[in-house]
Amino acid sequence: MKKLPFKEAVGCLSFAAQVTRPDVSYVVNAVSQFCSKPGRQHWEAIKKIIRYLKSTTTKKLEYSKHGSSELVGFGDADWGGDPDTGYVFTMQGGAISWNVKKQPTVALSSCEAECMALSRTIQETMWWTNLRSQIFEEESVLIHCNNQGAISIAGNGAYNPQTKHVSIRYHFVHESLKEGVVKVKYIPTTDQPADGFTKPLAVQKQQLFCELVGVTD
């Protein structure tokens, strides 16, 4: 394994995942965690990613001038599988910002994991809000979340026996809602684009994920 260019391959794939191909962000993030001591199975995963990219060279991010200029965000977390959080922002029918990252702390429930994801999504929203305020009139950014419990916590900002352990720093989401910076709306998991940033998907779901983030032929 020392003779194989594992780190170089991960670096090349990371560039693609961060700039033009959000559909490989999850898997590239997964293999990048083994750069210090990769195994044969990790190198095989690298080759599979390269084969996938080679077979989909006609796919690209596409934006429509007839699409809405409204900025919409999606945040998601996978508590039962890998402890990852991901978000994606879309505008003009395509993704303009996305990220996948390991959760900084251990979540004790799916609701808490989604609160973490919602918090990271709104942090990114702040930057986009400041940028867009120089071009468009200031307006609330719509954030979609597929967990009713996390939306409830964000809405009332109150503690209860099931969520009192949630770090208070995640409750700034409530303040953002109260100030009108963002609006949070429920979305079914089947329609959640950020789902593809937190877990591996079946072929059909992967195709739907690509369509939702604007990666098309």
Side-chain angles (χ1 to χ4, degrees):
M1 288 303 300
K2 291 182 179 180
K3 297 180 181 180
L4 297 176
F6 186 85
K7 292 183 179 180
E8 291 81 356
V10 169
C12 294
L13 293 174
S14 295
F15 178 80
Q18 294 171 10
V19 179
T20 61
R21 296 298 298 268
D23 52 322
V24 297
S25 293
Y26 170 77
V27 67
V28 171
N29 176 68
V31 296
S32 67
Q33 298 172 30
F34 300 94
C35 284
S36 60
K37 193 176 181 180
R40 175 62 61 177
Q41 68 272 30
H42 305 127
W43 181 246
E44 292 298 325
I46 288 285
K47 292 195 291 184
K48 286 183 179 180
I49 299 171
I50 294 174
R51 284 197 296 268
Y52 169 76
L53 290 175
K54 185 177 180 180
S55 65
T56 57
T57 53
T58 57
K59 287 188 178 293
K60 59 185 181 297
L61 275 174
E62 185 172 290
Y63 306 94
S64 171
K65 63 181 180 180
H66 302 296
S68 173
S69 61
E70 179 185 9
L71 179 68
V72 181
F74 303 84
D76 191 33
D78 183 24
W79 179 60
D82 292 333
D84 293 325
T85 60
Y87 62 74
V88 59
F89 287 85
T90 62
M91 190 169 65
Q92 302 293 147
I96 60 172
S97 174
W98 60 87
N99 182 267
V100 54
K101 187 178 181 181
K102 291 188 84 64
Q103 292 177 2
T105 57
V106 177
L108 301 181
S109 66
S110 177
C111 181
E112 183 180 358
E114 294 287 353
C115 284
M116 295 179 184
L118 194 57
S119 173
R120 291 194 60 234
T121 305
I122 293 181
Q123 290 177 46
E124 180 72 5
T125 302
M126 299 298 186
W127 186 88
W128 280 105
T129 300
N130 292 333
L131 177 64
R132 283 172 56 86
S133 64
Q134 304 175 33
I135 308 172
F136 305 100
E137 293 184 5
E138 189 173 348
E139 58 182 10
S140 297
V141 177
L142 180 61
I143 304 296
H144 291 277
C145 176
N146 62 343
N147 187 282
Q148 296 279 19
I151 295 175
S152 178
I153 294 173
N156 57 43
Y159 287 95
N160 61 57
Q162 285 75 35
T163 61
K164 62 183 180 181
H165 63 279
V166 179
S167 175
I168 193 170
R169 71 192 183 99
Y170 296 116
H171 287 272
F172 94 96
V173 173
H174 173 66
E175 297 178 4
S176 300
L177 283 170
K178 190 175 181 180
E179 294 173 1
V181 177
V182 298
K183 295 180 292 184
V184 180
K185 183 179 179 181
Y186 174 77
I187 186 174
T189 302
T190 52
D191 300 327
Q192 171 66 284
D195 201 42
F197 293 97
T198 61
K199 59 181 70 70
L201 302 176
V203 175
Q204 291 183 339
K205 286 190 174 182
Q206 177 71 10
Q207 293 173 348
L208 176 61
F209 166 63
C210 288
E211 293 177 5
L212 292 173
V213 297
V215 177
T216 60
D217 287 320

